[in-house]
Amino acid sequence: MMRKLGIIGGSGFGKLPGFDLQSTHGSVTPYGAPSGEIKIGKLFGREIVFLPRHGENHTIAPHKINYRANIWALKEMDVTDVIALAAVGGISDQCQSGQLVLPDQLIDYTWGRESTYYDGTGGKVEHIDFSEPYSESLRTILIESARQGGVSLIDGGVYGVTQGPRLETPAEINRMEKDGADIVGMTGMPEAALAREASLNYVCLALVVNAAAGRSPVEITMDLILKNLELASGSALELIRNMRELS
Ligand code: HPA
């Protein structure tokens, strides 16, 4: 089967710079509407399917995102592989602002989100294996691309996913660090689990945009986050530009 790449845009990626839009698709899934229209077009000459997670104008808070509809809509467009872009705070020392991280594990601290397609409706309950929450084959492709393109990318790390929308307290970050979390963000779950339930190859490409609470010498403001996001997004796009064809 031909593999087709989907990109989920996180904060700062309501639009993809350089994206050559070819068509848009309004979609209503059995779980409701996704965050916006699904956009098909070319990025660096490669056909991709794009969906901004927070809506095109960043109006949907992390806990209000219809993750089930988003993943369903991508699947309906025949997407097989997903790169989920995510702005995160850095907890461990190597995760400095501007750095890209490709986590290989996660811890889910979210609550109350619709987090499965297997909720018993239709008489089906299923327990997916989640020992490797991210696709190793797609992670390997991105790691190769980073190496070839000279893009700095941390291979591996634990993504701690919080409920938000507020940022954390320093005590919460200390606890997360003890738990083993390297980065903290608000949207990694249930997105990753739903992608697995839908049999998509899914990775999170995390962009560190601030030092996490208690580690930041300055107040963590949206301005700071957006400024650092601009820095890191150049590297993220460079990485995607260098990606070989999926096969
Ligand atoms: N915490 C949680 N989510 C985030 C952060 C953070 O520090 N920065 C960007 N998204």
Side-chain angles (χ1 to χ4, degrees):
M1 193 176 81
M2 281 281 288
R3 284 167 76 172
K4 194 187 262 193
L5 181 64
I7 296 181
I8 299 179
S11 292
F13 283 103
K15 295 195 171 66
L16 275 183
F19 181 57
D20 177 15
L21 178 67
Q22 290 171 334
S23 59
T24 56
H25 299 259
S27 156
V28 179
T29 76
Y31 301 94
S35 296
E37 287 182 319
I38 305 284
K39 297 181 183 340
I40 296 186
K42 291 208 161 167
L43 184 66
F44 308 123
R46 175 203 308 267
E47 183 165 296
I48 65 150
V49 178
F50 177 62
L51 177 62
R53 186 190 282 121
H54 297 277
E56 202 168 323
N57 299 311
H58 204 281
T59 49
I60 312 173
H63 63 296
K64 293 279 184 70
I65 291 167
N66 190 339
Y67 295 94
R68 290 197 297 186
N70 285 355
I71 293 294
W72 192 276
L74 291 176
K75 183 83 180 170
E76 266 183 350
M77 299 307 296
D78 296 325
V79 165
T80 56
D81 292 72
V82 175
I83 298 176
L85 300 169
V88 298
I91 299 178
S92 55
D93 284 346
Q94 76 271 27
C95 297
Q96 297 289 325
S97 293
Q99 179 65 52
L100 296 181
V101 185
L102 198 62
D104 60 351
Q105 281 296 321
L106 62 81
I107 302 175
D108 187 3
Y109 299 94
T110 68
W111 46 269
R113 302 181 179 188
E114 292 289 357
S115 57
T116 180
Y117 297 116
Y118 295 118
D119 58 2
T121 45
K124 198 145 185 235
V125 174
E126 192 73 57
H127 304 284
I128 51 155
D129 183 354
F130 212 39
S131 320
E132 269 179 11
Y134 301 108
S135 159
E136 268 311 305
S137 72
L138 193 51
R139 286 186 73 259
T140 303
I141 291 175
L142 283 175
I143 290 156
E144 278 171 12
S145 322
R147 207 170 292 139
Q148 278 159 12
V151 176
S152 171
L153 173 69
I154 295 177
D155 172 6
V158 180
Y159 177 179
V161 192
T162 58
Q163 177 73 355
R166 67 166 176 83
L167 295 167
E168 300 70 38
T169 65
E172 286 168 334
I173 293 296
N174 287 342
R175 187 185 77 166
M176 290 177 73
E177 185 172 44
K178 277 198 207 120
D179 287 352
D182 295 293
I183 51 176
V184 52
M186 302 173 190
T187 55
M189 282 294 282
E191 198 173 85
L194 291 163
R196 175 61 51 79
E197 286 187 352
S199 302
L200 295 173
N201 298 316
Y202 174 99
V203 296
C204 169
L205 179 56
L207 295 75
V208 181
V209 293
N210 59 277
R215 280 130 177 87
S216 175
V218 292
E219 191 187 344
I220 305 167
T221 60
M222 269 320 272
D223 260 9
L224 174 79
I225 288 180
L226 291 174
K227 210 173 286 161
N228 285 330
L229 196 53
E230 229 174 270
L231 281 179
S233 60
S235 309
L237 288 169
E238 185 59 15
L239 187 62
I240 294 169
R241 193 172 72 78
N242 273 294
M243 244 177 96
R244 69 166 159 82
E245 279 308 311
L246 301 171
S247 56

